[in-house]
């Protein structure tokens, strides 16, 4: 007798896979079930391992992003605190001693229209200088003129630390009523500038490197706080819009710079803050002092220009009232958090200024022109909330 093409064991196996148990004979399903249960157990174990691995990876990513936020927040906060302290100490920020550096000076008897167009014109001049500098930098980097770039950066850092540092030190000596001869003053500032350039571009302990980068940002921010109020605000608005265009626009110079660096797989030779290591990338072939915990993750980098303009707004607020300082600080930090959140979601280069500057200026104007007068009115009437 010819045997059927499908054996009973094969049919039982098909039904068993479908979840139906049929009694085709003694021991048939009992032989098949252990193998199937073993396969199901292995499959469930693999799925559980994958789920646990995914959950652990998500927890690690959350911890990494939280650590990144804190690592960026610390130097930004220190820079703003340094600027507020310096502005309050030297009582700077008056417009009388800086009108020569502004193309159009704002006068006390100017109307609202005159102040507006003068502030916009001054901001446009600053934007033109930044645009020209950025374009030259991108062209030099595109054609690999790295020696010119590093010489440019070293010269700029020396001028900032030497001249701007000397101006701040002299103002502090006057505020503290401390006498110092010229030879000692020049000797101190010369060594301060040279040590700073060596620490930034060559080798130094991480803390010293951090301190000098914060000082460079703070010194330039203190200079901008001496500009007239509406000129300062106009500069911040225009620079934030420029940052938005330069980073996100297809023809933006900073976008072209980042894409060129990614294609060459090399760091950008600029003053940058790395979320994993606070280091000036002066030598592309030099390894960072502290490796990143996970080589697959790329550290978040923030330009020192962002530090500067954050601190300019806070320094400007320090000339008005400490309440304005606190509210503007909250606005800037909130904007930075939102920017880092978008960075974690979009995973692409984003401008760091627009959100922080928008919130910071909004809080600054509301506090200085609404909240502060309201508080003074309540205090004069003996009403305390």
């Amino acid at each position: 007798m010819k045997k059927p093409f499908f054996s009973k064991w094969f049919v039982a196996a098909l039904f068993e896979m479908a979840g139906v148990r049929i009694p085709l004979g003694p021991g048939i399903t009992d032989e098949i079930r252990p193998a199937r249960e073993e396969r199901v157990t292995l499959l469930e174990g693999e799925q559980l391992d994958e789920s646990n691995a995914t959950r652990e990876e998500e927890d690690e990513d959350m911890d990494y992003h939280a650590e990144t936020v804190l690592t960026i927040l610390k130097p930004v906060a220190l820079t703003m605190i340094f600027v507020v302290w310096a502005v309050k100490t030297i009582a700077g920020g008056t417009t009388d001693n800086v009108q020569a550096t502004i193309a159009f000076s704002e006068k006390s008897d100017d109307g609202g229209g005159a102040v507006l167009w003068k502030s916009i014109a001054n901001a446009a001049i600053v934007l033109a200088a930044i645009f020209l500098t950025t374009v030259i930098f991108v062209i030099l980097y595109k054609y690999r003129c790295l020696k010119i770039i590093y010489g440019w950066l070293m010269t700029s850092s020396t001028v900032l630390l030497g001249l701007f540092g000397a101006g701040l030190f002299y103002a502090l000596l006057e505020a503290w009523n401390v006498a110092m001869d010229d030879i000692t003053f020049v000797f101190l500032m010369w060594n301060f500038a040279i040590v700073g350039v060596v620490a930034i571009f060559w080798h130094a302990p991480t803390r010293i490197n951090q301190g000098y980068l914060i000082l460079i940002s703070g010194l330039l921010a203190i200079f901008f706080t001496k500009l007239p109020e509406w000129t300062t605000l106009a500069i911040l608005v225009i620079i934030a819009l420029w940052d938005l265009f330069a980073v996100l626009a297809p023809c933006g110079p900073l976008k072209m710079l980042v894409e060129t660096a990614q294609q060459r797989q090399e760091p950008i030779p600029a003053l940058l803050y790395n979320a994993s290591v606070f280091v000036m990338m002066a030598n592309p072939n030099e390894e960072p002092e502290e490796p990143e915990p996970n080589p697959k993750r790329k550290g978040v980098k923030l330009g020192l220009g962002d530090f500067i303009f954050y601190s300019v707004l806070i320094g400007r607020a320090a000339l008005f009232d400490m309440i304005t300082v606190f509210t503007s600080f909250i606005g800037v930090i909130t904007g930075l958090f939102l920017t880092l959140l978008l960075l974690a979601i979009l995973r692409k280069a984003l401008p760091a200024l627009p959100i922080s500057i928008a919130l910071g200026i909004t809080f600054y104007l509301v506090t200085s022109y609404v909240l502060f007068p309201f508080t003074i009115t309540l205090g004069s009437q003996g009403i305390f909330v």
Side-chain angles (χ1 to χ4, degrees), residues 58-135:
E58 291 177 353
D59 293 340
E60 291 178 359
D61 290 340
M62 185 177 298
D63 294 339
Y64 173 75
H65 291 303
E67 184 178 356
T68 299
V69 171
L70 293 177
T71 309
I72 289 181
L73 176 62
K74 291 178 183 178
V76 171
L78 285 176
T79 305
M80 292 189 289
I81 292 173
F82 168 69
V83 171
V84 171
W85 170 80
V87 169
K88 284 293 186 180
T89 302
I90 64 178
T94 59
T95 60
D96 296 337
N97 59 346
V98 296
Q99 292 298 320
T101 62
I102 303 299
F104 302 96
S105 59
E106 299 178 15
K107 300 179 181 179
S108 57
D109 57 347
D110 286 340
V115 172
L116 179 62
W117 79 260
K118 286 181 179 180
S119 60
I120 293 177
N122 292 330
I125 293 174
V126 174
L127 177 62
I130 293 177
F131 172 78
L132 181 62
T133 302
T134 305
V135 171

Side-chain angles (χ1 to χ4, degrees), residues 8 28 36 53 71 81 90 95 131 136 171 215 228 275 283 369 380:
K8 58 183 179 181
I28 293 178
R36 171 171 170 77
T71 309
I81 292 173
I90 64 178
T95 60
F131 172 78
I136 294 175
L215 285 174
N283 187 357
Y369 290 96
S380 63

Side-chain angles (χ1 to χ4, degrees), residues 4 12 15 17 73 84 92 105 120 127 129 143 196 224 232 242 245 254 256 294 303 318 321 337 346 356 358 373:
F15 278 89
M17 293 176 62
L73 176 62
V84 171
S105 59
I120 293 177
L127 177 62
Y143 292 98
F224 276 104
T232 304
W242 160 254
F245 166 79
L254 295 182
M256 297 170 57
N294 189 344
D321 184 77
F337 282 154
L346 301 178
S356 295

Side-chain angles (χ1 to χ4, degrees), residues 233-252:
L233 296 179
I235 290 174
L236 291 176
V237 172
I238 290 182
I239 294 302
L241 295 176
W242 160 254
D243 193 28
L244 194 66
F245 166 79
V247 176
L248 297 182
C251 58

